[in-house]
Amino acid sequence: MITLASDFGSPYPAAMKGVLLRHTDARLVDVSQELPRQDVRAAAFWLRETLPYFPPAVHLVVVDPGVGTDRAALVCRAGEHLLVAPDNGVLRPVARVLARTTGGGSGDASAQPQFFRVDESRFRPTPDGPAPFDRGQSSTFHGRDVFAPVAGVVHDVGVDSLLGEGRLTRPDSVVDLELPTATVESDVAVGEVLVVDDFGNVVTNVPGSFLEGHERVAVGDETVPVGETFASVGPGEALATVGSHGFVELDVNRGRGDDRFGLAPRDAVRLEAA
Amino acid sequence: MITLASDFGSPYPAAMKGVLLRHTDARLVDVSQELPRQDVRAAAFWLRETLPYFPPAVHLVVVDPGVGTDRAALVCRAGEHLLVAPDNGVLRPVARVLARTTGGGSGDASAQPQFFRVDESRFRPTPDGPAPFDRGQSSTFHGRDVFAPVAGVVHDVGVDSLLGEGRLTRPDSVVDLELPTATVESDVAVGEVLVVDDFGNVVTNVPGSFLEGHERVAVGDETVPVGETFASVGPGEALATVGSHGFVELDVNRGRGDDRFGLAPRDAVRLEAA
Amino acid sequence: MITLASDFGSPYPAAMKGVLLRHTDARLVDVSQELPRQDVRAAAFWLRETLPYFPPAVHLVVVDPGVGTDRAALVCRAGEHLLVAPDNGVLRPVARVLARTTGGGSGDASAQPQFFRVDESRFRPTPDGPAPFDRGQSSTFHGRDVFAPVAGVVHDVGVDSLLGEGRLTRPDSVVDLELPTATVESDVAVGEVLVVDDFGNVVTNVPGSFLEGHERVAVGDETVPVGETFASVGPGEALATVGSHGFVELDVNRGRGDDRFGLAPRDAVRLEAA
């Protein structure tokens, strides 16, 4: 199984699927082609929230504002999962979760992901037969020309074989990325907006436990009820709840929390339990 | 085969797919993740228009404005199809069609769908190995935490086995939902807008037969030609036609009917054949 | 393997997938359901850029502003690929590439695609069992009622068998379509915008070789750097680059080129190398 995640929209991912299917008969599963555009941190958040629900798989991730520069292409082994992505930190948060929960005989909390650098010159989109176009590797679409071929080969032959051939090598270092954490002191939490989802729900980085035992919370100047479900308030009314990711979410029942609270990704958020 | 339909957009459905693939090797087919948001009636219409074209399958449907409240999770057996959804009526119109056309030895017009209530406590997202996160069941994402696990299990073991185990039970009642019907008297039809599709075509609930034998129809104050195809009028011109669902549609050739007629879902529509 | 491409958005393609799966067990792969709406030329461009990366497959294409008129339904054999689409030219550019690169024992540059006309009356959405609705063939959704059944049958039985049965015939003529070519004279190129992609990158029809050896290029009144990658300029800055399709693209690093340059599909573009 190979999953695909990108910020490409449509139809670029089709070229990646075509390339993958030239390499392998693996099942392909779309995670998202609509990740927040060129926002590595937001992509890292969504990958951490989705990929760990999958059984062991190869995960192909292309959110790549540095495409064509000298940033490396990476393969990551995290527990029973393999991941392929540019070296910009996008894999770090999810790889930690996958290593911890499926690594070292499943559930060794100290297991760490391993990263490998790709020798891009030794992978090509069309392994068999003639290439469809007389083009070299593009500078702007490594999803098609580098990452998809690598994912297809990694799926079929595995990391160890590629290490033996020198098509993967151990890098000196890889880009790290940690999602920001909120500061919580008794009844006040100071954090920020991680993402806004398609419903307009504002996902903060304040742990959901902050809301425990409280009936209302102040968000900036406004105080809203704490609810367990959207429907705990009337249609069009705002609330704070614990989202499916375990963080405090600022929502409007059957409406958009981002419009109501005037909040966007990376905005600072101050919550005070009331 | 398991089909997926929701109003989630992206990337929440990925977590549902991951959960499904932990339970089953079934083929997954996206029906839509872009159903009109939190609009149970519109979702019911689109399901009725799409699912009956599928061969027998399990259909997972999550349009769930009441998520986290005490609304039940349902499994429905409708002819040769199984459906999984919240108890809010969304399955009713399609289930009637599926029961009638594939039930009772295929084509017993009196066959009725059967509904079963899910014991949510006896299904979990990760049947094997450790859970990826130390979280209980969320209050806001039952698609991932309830409906996907149920669909995966129902696909592999069937309804009867789950009834025997008491993981499904017979409910006292389930929410009903009927799509509204138009009133047609000789040359006047009074109905409403069911949905507006992505092209901007305005789908009414007036039966297409209303247009038979007429060359023009008045829509409110405006009279437009009746055409069999979009191209029966010039680009940018309006027409009334019989849509692919058998209802009267108000369209603009290569344009948007909703903008031209000023109509939105649930608006009243009065048509007078001219 | 059957790929699907349309301008339908959601959820109409689901009905096509259901119909396909009534006919065949083939793997289904979404190319795009978001092709530029009712724009045959833009669709032809994107198909040429994506389908040649696939291994041999049946490609179902429905961009069909003339649906319901007397325009024919076509099957095309192009090298090792089969394509199904309305007779409006949408297949021509990609079929030429597929024939040239996979035809005549793979790589016979003189190989030409062959086109066949479909006898629509001899294909139906539901080959087995009762139809879900008491409807004839619609006039507005041939994707479901004609093209999907044809693609399913073509996949399983092939072209020759259908020719033998007379369900496919040789047409007198088919609609041609060529993507426009730019005029390049020394340091000046005059062309037009083919498409704008989801990132806002403006794809022209000027060959990328035009930029070779130049550091800057004038686009109308403005002169921008020529860069190999988006990141060769600062965030928010404009550049000209060679896109992944080999044409000159007008872009903004981490921004939208169409907004910056004020360009839309079919606009004329004049480039002068500086």
Side-chain angles (χ1 to χ4, degrees):
Chain A
M1 185 187 314
I2 302 177
T3 77
L4 292 89
S6 81
D7 60 353
F8 285 153
S10 172
Y12 290 120
M16 295 170 60
K17 291 180 188 177
V19 167
L20 284 167
L21 293 166
R22 283 202 178 212
H23 282 81
T24 177
D25 287 327
R27 184 203 283 258
L28 305 186
V29 183
D30 279 310
V31 164
S32 176
Q33 312 299 348
E34 307 289 343
L35 291 173
R37 195 141 281 166
Q38 300 186 318
D39 184 338
V40 170
R41 197 183 85 172
F45 172 80
W46 285 120
L47 295 172
R48 191 183 67 178
E49 284 306 309
T50 51
L51 301 188
Y53 289 95
F54 280 82
V58 172
H59 304 288
L60 169 56
V61 174
V62 193
V63 177
D64 191 16
V67 60
T69 65
D70 60 2
R71 68 96 192 86
L74 294 181
V75 171
C76 172
R77 180 158 55 191
E80 302 179 47
H81 296 256
L82 297 172
L83 304 100
V84 180
D87 182 14
N88 59 20
V90 72
L91 294 182
R92 280 297 189 123
V94 67
R96 287 188 199 102
V97 172
L98 294 173
R100 192 180 69 229
T101 55
T102 71
S106 287
D108 173 0
S110 68
Q112 293 294 323
Q114 298 172 288
F115 290 88
F116 307 99
R117 188 184 173 106
V118 171
D119 181 348
E120 299 183 15
S121 69
R122 294 172 69 184
F123 293 88
R124 49 195 291 268
T126 50
D128 55 327
F133 299 105
D134 184 20
R135 300 170 182 167
Q137 186 191 97
S138 71
S139 296
T140 55
F141 193 7
H142 284 193
R144 178 189 73 192
D145 295 343
V146 176
F147 296 108
V150 170
V153 172
V154 162
H155 178 274
D156 281 7
V157 311
V159 164
D160 291 332
S161 162
L162 295 173
L163 276 171
E165 298 171 30
R167 295 167 83 187
L168 294 181
T169 56
R170 293 177 196 281
D172 293 332
S173 67
V174 296
V175 174
D176 200 2
L177 182 152
E178 301 228 26
L179 296 175
T181 53
T183 306
V184 180
E185 290 185 22
S186 64
D187 286 352
V188 175
V190 177
E192 60 179 288
V193 177
L194 291 174
V195 296
V196 172
D197 73 17
D198 279 5
F199 288 83
N201 298 321
V202 176
V203 180
T204 75
N205 64 344
V206 177
S209 56
F210 175 73
L211 297 180
E212 273 171 26
H214 296 286
E215 293 192 359
R216 299 181 71 75
V217 63
V219 184
D221 291 341
E222 185 174 20
T223 299
V224 298
V226 172
E228 199 182 336
T229 68
F230 301 125
S232 66
V233 298
E237 292 179 16
L239 76 158
T241 189
V242 182
S244 60
H245 26 66
F247 292 112
V248 174
E249 240 182 50
L250 303 174
D251 308 326
V252 168
N253 183 24
R254 306 204 186 195
R256 295 191 65 93
D258 57 344
D259 290 345
R260 169 66 179 272
F261 290 97
L263 287 169
R266 294 178 188 258
D267 283 354
V269 175
R270 182 183 184 280
L271 304 181
E272 183 163 356
Chain B
M1 185 188 314
I2 301 176
T3 77
L4 291 89
S6 81
D7 61 352
F8 285 154
S10 172
Y12 290 119
M16 295 170 61
K17 291 180 188 176
V19 167
L20 284 167
L21 293 167
R22 283 201 178 213
H23 283 81
T24 176
D25 287 328
R27 182 204 285 259
L28 304 186
V29 183
D30 280 310
V31 165
S32 176
Q33 313 298 349
E34 307 288 344
L35 291 174
R37 194 143 282 163
Q38 301 186 317
D39 184 338
V40 170
R41 196 182 87 171
F45 172 80
W46 285 120
L47 295 173
R48 191 184 67 178
E49 283 306 308
T50 51
L51 301 189
Y53 290 95
F54 280 82
V58 172
H59 304 288
L60 169 55
V61 174
V62 193
V63 177
D64 191 15
V67 59
T69 65
D70 60 2
R71 68 98 192 84
L74 295 181
V75 171
C76 172
R77 180 158 55 191
E80 303 180 48
H81 295 256
L82 297 172
L83 304 100
V84 179
D87 182 14
N88 58 20
V90 72
L91 294 182
R92 279 296 191 124
V94 68
R96 286 188 200 102
V97 172
L98 294 173
R100 191 181 69 229
T101 55
T102 71
S106 286
D108 172 1
S110 68
Q112 292 295 323
Q114 298 171 286
F115 291 88
F116 308 99
R117 187 184 174 105
V118 171
D119 181 348
E120 299 183 15
S121 68
R122 295 173 69 183
F123 294 87
R124 47 195 292 267
T126 50
D128 55 328
F133 299 105
D134 183 19
R135 300 171 182 166
Q137 186 191 98
S138 71
S139 296
T140 56
F141 193 7
H142 283 193
R144 179 189 72 193
D145 296 343
V146 176
F147 297 108
V150 169
V153 172
V154 162
H155 179 275
D156 280 7
V157 311
V159 163
D160 292 330
S161 163
L162 294 173
L163 275 170
E165 299 171 28
R167 295 167 82 186
L168 295 181
T169 57
R170 292 177 197 281
D172 293 331
S173 66
V174 296
V175 174
D176 200 2
L177 182 152
E178 301 228 26
L179 297 175
T181 52
T183 304
V184 181
E185 290 185 23
S186 65
D187 286 353
V188 175
V190 177
E192 60 179 288
V193 178
L194 291 175
V195 296
V196 172
D197 73 16
D198 279 6
F199 288 83
N201 298 321
V202 176
V203 181
T204 76
N205 63 344
V206 177
S209 56
F210 176 74
L211 298 180
E212 272 172 27
H214 296 286
E215 294 192 358
R216 300 181 69 76
V217 65
V219 184
D221 292 341
E222 185 174 20
T223 299
V224 298
V226 172
E228 199 183 337
T229 68
F230 302 126
S232 66
V233 298
E237 292 179 15
L239 77 157
T241 190
V242 182
S244 59
H245 27 67
F247 292 112
V248 174
E249 240 182 51
L250 305 174
D251 308 325
V252 169
N253 183 24
R254 306 203 186 197
R256 295 191 64 92
D258 57 345
D259 290 344
R260 170 64 179 274
F261 290 98
L263 288 169
R266 294 176 187 261
D267 283 355
V269 175
R270 182 182 185 282
L271 304 181
E272 183 163 355
Chain C
M1 185 187 316
I2 301 176
T3 78
L4 292 89
S6 81
D7 61 353
F8 286 155
S10 173
Y12 291 120
M16 296 171 59
K17 291 180 189 178
V19 168
L20 284 168
L21 293 166
R22 284 203 177 212
H23 284 79
T24 176
D25 288 327
R27 182 203 285 259
L28 305 186
V29 184
D30 280 310
V31 164
S32 176
Q33 312 299 350
E34 307 289 342
L35 291 173
R37 194 143 281 163
Q38 301 186 319
D39 184 339
V40 170
R41 196 184 86 173
F45 172 80
W46 285 120
L47 295 172
R48 192 183 67 178
E49 284 305 309
T50 51
L51 301 188
Y53 289 95
F54 279 82
V58 172
H59 303 289
L60 169 56
V61 174
V62 193
V63 177
D64 191 16
V67 61
T69 65
D70 61 2
R71 67 97 192 85
L74 295 181
V75 171
C76 172
R77 180 158 55 192
E80 303 179 47
H81 295 256
L82 297 173
L83 304 100
V84 179
D87 182 15
N88 58 20
V90 71
L91 293 181
R92 279 298 189 122
V94 68
R96 286 188 200 103
V97 172
L98 294 173
R100 192 180 69 228
T101 55
T102 71
S106 287
D108 172 1
S110 68
Q112 292 295 323
Q114 297 171 288
F115 290 87
F116 308 99
R117 187 183 173 106
V118 171
D119 181 348
E120 299 183 15
S121 68
R122 295 174 69 185
F123 294 87
R124 49 194 292 267
T126 51
D128 55 327
F133 300 104
D134 183 20
R135 301 170 182 167
Q137 186 191 98
S138 71
S139 295
T140 55
F141 193 7
H142 284 193
R144 178 189 72 191
D145 296 342
V146 176
F147 297 108
V150 170
V153 172
V154 163
H155 179 274
D156 280 8
V157 312
V159 164
D160 292 331
S161 163
L162 294 173
L163 275 170
E165 299 171 29
R167 296 166 83 188
L168 295 182
T169 57
R170 292 177 198 280
D172 293 332
S173 66
V174 296
V175 174
D176 200 3
L177 183 153
E178 301 228 26
L179 296 175
T181 52
T183 305
V184 180
E185 291 185 23
S186 66
D187 286 353
V188 175
V190 176
E192 60 179 287
V193 177
L194 292 174
V195 295
V196 173
D197 73 16
D198 279 5
F199 289 84
N201 298 321
V202 176
V203 181
T204 75
N205 64 344
V206 178
S209 56
F210 175 74
L211 298 179
E212 274 172 27
H214 296 286
E215 293 193 357
R216 301 181 69 77
V217 64
V219 184
D221 292 342
E222 185 175 22
T223 300
V224 297
V226 172
E228 198 182 337
T229 69
F230 301 125
S232 65
V233 298
E237 292 179 16
L239 77 158
T241 189
V242 183
S244 59
H245 26 68
F247 292 112
V248 174
E249 239 182 50
L250 304 174
D251 308 325
V252 168
N253 183 24
R254 306 202 185 196
R256 294 192 66 92
D258 57 344
D259 290 344
R260 169 65 179 271
F261 291 97
L263 287 169
R266 295 180 187 258
D267 283 355
V269 175
R270 182 182 184 281
L271 303 181
E272 183 163 356

